Each structure stands twice: as C-alpha cells, then as structure tokens.
Amino acid sequence: QVQVVESGGGLVQAGGSLRLSCAASGRTFSRYALGWFRQAPGKEREFVAAINWSGSTTYYAGSVKGRFTISRDNAKNTVYLQMNSLKPEDTAVYYCAADSTGHFYSGNYYPDGYDYWGQGTQVTVSS
C-alpha cells in the first residue's frame, strides 16, 4: 500500500511560479512511475506530466510543455512539479498519482493507469 500526499498549492498571479510536492510512503517508492493530473471545476481530470521510476524519462501535456517540470528524489520519496509562467487556465486541483508498473506506458496518460492517488492540492492563478 502506498499513501500519497500533495502540498505546495496556493494562489499566484499570472506569470508567477509554484512548486508542488508529492510525498509517498512505502519502501518501493523508487519502483513507481509517478504522474500529475489536474481537474478544473466542471471538467474531467486531465494528464499534466509523468516520470518513470528512475527519473530518466519525463512526459508532458502539450498545454504545459516548456512551462512545467516534473522531477523526483527517490531518496526522499518525493516527486515535484515546478510550474512556471502560470496562466489562469492552469487553475485546478492538482493530483499526484503512483503506478506500480514503474515504466511509463500509454495508459499513464489516463487516470485509470494509476494505482494510488493523493487528495489533491488547489492551485489558483489570478489574472
């Protein structure tokens, strides 16, 4: 069993930055692929970014590529999402998710591709 807890959300002006953190329990953290999703009011949960078990490969949604960076520190059981040049349309609840397969595959672009989820952290970008 893996528990996932997000932090770092908040209110920021457009053009600003935030860094989200996701701490996960469990000795097998380093074996998991990890992803970030977001869900805005009235919309479906959408893929934002993902990283494989070693951190050697990352994946991004087109809407955030070049602005967001996902990284992980397996020694700290933590994955990060650095968000720069934030836009009002980035406003959403951001969720961290873990997938026990470790190696990123096409299913990791969708919520069903993950085994464990955090409770989410709110990010609000004002214009």
Side-chain angles (χ1 to χ4, degrees):
Q1 187 75 14
V2 175
Q3 290 186 325
V4 178
V5 179
E6 305 95 336
S7 62
L11 173 64
V12 64
Q13 288 188 331
S17 298
L18 280 175
R19 188 176 80 156
L20 304 183
S21 299
C22 171
S25 64
R27 291 176 293 178
T28 58
F29 173 85
S30 62
R31 302 178 187 174
Y32 286 74
L34 299 165
W36 286 96
F37 284 74
R38 65 187 182 187
Q39 188 166 19
K43 295 188 177 181
E44 293 187 351
R45 192 168 297 190
E46 67 173 1
F47 173 80
V48 174
I51 190 167
N52 72 335
W53 67 274
S54 67
S56 61
T57 312
T58 56
Y59 306 84
Y60 297 94
S63 58
V64 306
K65 198 168 186 177
R67 300 188 297 124
F68 291 11
T69 302
I70 188 171
S71 61
R72 67 189 294 163
D73 185 339
N74 286 342
K76 296 182 178 180
N77 279 15
T78 303
V79 62
Y80 304 97
L81 185 68
Q82 177 66 44
M83 305 186 295
N84 298 329
S85 302
L86 282 162
K87 305 175 181 180
E89 51 264 42
D90 294 319
T91 295
V93 177
Y94 282 70
Y95 297 91
C96 178
D99 170 30
S100 59
T101 62
H103 299 280
F104 188 88
Y105 70 110
S106 60
N108 287 134
Y109 286 111
Y110 306 97
D112 287 348
Y114 295 83
D115 304 301
Y116 306 101
W117 289 85
Q119 80 291 347
T121 186
Q122 176 71 46
V123 172
T124 302
V125 184
S126 63
S127 58

